[in-house]
Amino acid sequence: MKFGFKTLLSAGLLASGMALSSMSALAQEVTLKVHHFLPPKATTHAKVLVPWKEAVESQSGGRIKVEIYPAMQLGGKPPQLMDQVRDGVADIVWALPGYSPGRFPKIAVFELPFMVSDATATSQAVQEYYETHAREEFSDVHVLQFHTHARGLFHTVKKPIKSVDDFKGLKMRAPNRGIGEALGALGASAVFMPVPALPEALSKNVVDGAVIPWEIVPALKIHELAPNHTRTPGARGLYTAVFVYAMNKAKYDGLPDDLKKVIDDNSGMAMAKKIGEAWDVAEKPGEGLASAKGNPIIDLSEADIAKMREITKPVTDKWIADMGADGQKLHDAASALLDKYSK
């Protein structure tokens, strides 16, 4: 069989086109828009999301580009982040499920009173709990990992909290339903708001204080706005908040397998532990600022903490009852995981 010049040229062009197409697929570039609500100085942005961006871009050989949009730069409000990632407004979000009360009830077990040790242990406990008990709550997104902040403490503008009785009559900013109900049981009034709104609320006396970890103190200047600080010592602190790093499902599913592997390698338990460690380390600067300013830092007594456990137990009992037949089992599983990772 003889082939003319034109036939050979056509075949060559076809082969070249196929090769170029293959190379193009291999060199596919993907841009991931990451959205969150904190300023760039915050631990999550500087110590978690930026290193994550750098790792993913490097390990993908530059084929994945990550753009981070802090402080809600893509629009909306913090409670809308989970809807934004589900709907593709953002490709990835860092968000608090607790900003949507009742929507993620299983994962909220870690936002009940006295369900936190430190951020490293609690983050791993939440990650394993999600993998074994709460996947269906997040089935409309691709979860990268969960984590928590270190145990929160109380910061007040005028009246220092020295005992359980001092909560009465205070208006306290609360991040989620669990801690809001606990504050109510203690005699305070919970005022729910995303943390970026807190400085203005403190300066305008909308609230008398707040529950937040030391980590966020420097970014929001809480040591200046609410200069009285009260801790809950012991094996477990009063509260934490659960965070999720989640990706749009279609965006993840549309990645080629090798790029999925890059995302997977920077997800899951190892990342939960790493983020928890970063948040534990980030507690020190905030506490240091308060100490340097001469602010009182008060540790509640064992007797007061025992009283707090008793007073807030109905909050846990209510959650267990609301969860139905599996409520006690889920709470016991979460508590056991806390013990496992706190050893």
Side-chain angles (χ1 to χ4, degrees):
M1 184 178 291
K2 297 182 178 179
F3 296 96
F5 175 75
K6 289 184 178 179
T7 303
L8 290 171
L9 179 61
S10 296
L13 288 172
L14 178 62
S16 298
M18 291 174 64
L20 287 171
S21 176
S22 176
M23 290 174 63
S24 177
L26 185 64
Q28 177 182 355
E29 292 186 2
V30 178
T31 299
L32 300 178
K33 295 182 292 183
V34 179
H35 201 202
H36 70 91
F37 59 86
L38 289 180
K41 290 182 180 180
T43 296
T44 293
H45 183 96
K47 303 295 184 181
V48 175
L49 300 184
V50 170
W52 188 88
K53 159 189 164 73
E54 293 170 348
V56 166
E57 289 180 340
S58 174
Q59 292 170 29
S60 69
R63 290 167 58 209
I64 297 177
K65 180 182 178 183
V66 179
E67 298 175 350
I68 304 175
Y69 296 87
M72 301 304 296
Q73 289 179 356
L74 295 179
K77 297 180 179 180
Q80 297 172 322
L81 284 167
M82 292 303 294
D83 289 333
Q84 288 186 354
V85 74
R86 180 197 64 198
D87 298 339
V89 175
D91 300 311
I92 298 174
V93 298
W94 178 79
L96 283 97
Y99 278 178
S100 303
R103 185 172 172 182
F104 306 100
K106 285 187 177 180
I107 212 73
V109 67
F110 288 95
E111 296 178 339
L112 294 172
F114 298 100
M115 288 293 287
V116 56
S117 56
D118 58 27
T120 304
T122 311
S123 295
Q124 292 175 88
V126 176
Q127 181 68 29
E128 183 170 337
Y129 177 89
Y130 157 73
E131 293 171 0
T132 54
H133 297 289
R135 283 186 178 274
E136 72 278 8
E137 284 195 344
F138 298 87
S139 60
D140 57 356
V141 297
H142 178 79
V143 169
L144 301 177
Q145 68 261 340
F146 283 89
H147 77 97
T148 71
H149 62 61
R151 62 179 68 189
L153 62 156
F154 307 98
H155 310 264
T156 53
V157 177
K158 295 178 181 178
K159 178 184 176 182
I161 297 172
K162 299 179 180 179
S163 73
V164 173
D165 294 334
D166 291 329
F167 287 100
K168 292 175 182 174
L170 291 177
K171 294 180 295 182
M172 299 288 289
R173 176 264 174 182
N176 53 57
R177 177 180 287 177
I179 185 58
E181 291 178 351
L183 287 169
L186 292 166
S189 298
V191 181
F192 297 96
M193 67 180 72
V195 75
L198 181 57
E200 184 177 5
L202 288 168
S203 63
K204 293 185 176 180
N205 297 314
V206 174
V207 292
D208 301 308
V211 286
I212 55 170
W214 284 118
E215 178 274 335
I216 200 63
V217 163
L220 301 184
K221 301 187 185 300
I222 301 301
H223 60 297
E224 298 175 2
L225 295 166
N228 303 289
H229 317 281
T230 301
R231 302 182 293 199
T232 53
R236 293 190 186 180
L238 176 64
Y239 96 100
T240 189
V242 174
F243 301 89
V244 63
Y245 197 40
M247 185 171 179
N248 177 268
K249 200 161 186 140
K251 191 78 171 186
Y252 175 82
D253 291 342
L255 294 175
D257 288 345
D258 61 333
L259 294 189
K260 282 182 182 174
K261 185 177 186 304
V262 172
I263 299 297
D264 294 345
D265 287 347
N266 291 277
S267 304
M269 184 62 79
M271 284 302 298
K273 181 181 180 183
K274 190 173 183 179
I275 295 174
E277 290 171 343
W279 274 68
D280 279 331
V281 169
E283 289 287 277
K284 297 174 183 177
E287 186 173 2
L289 285 173
S291 296
K293 196 172 182 292
N295 294 355
I297 300 175
I298 302 157
D299 286 330
L300 291 178
S301 68
E302 289 185 13
D304 273 311
I305 291 172
K307 191 174 180 180
M308 288 176 72
R309 281 181 172 272
E310 181 182 352
I311 292 171
T312 61
K313 186 177 182 298
V315 177
T316 298
D317 293 341
K318 181 179 180 298
W319 181 89
I320 290 171
D322 289 345
M323 294 304 296
D326 291 335
Q328 189 64 58
K329 175 184 174 184
L330 290 169
H331 185 269
D332 290 348
S335 186
L337 287 169
L338 266 178
D339 290 342
K340 171 184 174 179
Y341 288 105
S342 298
K343 292 178 181 178

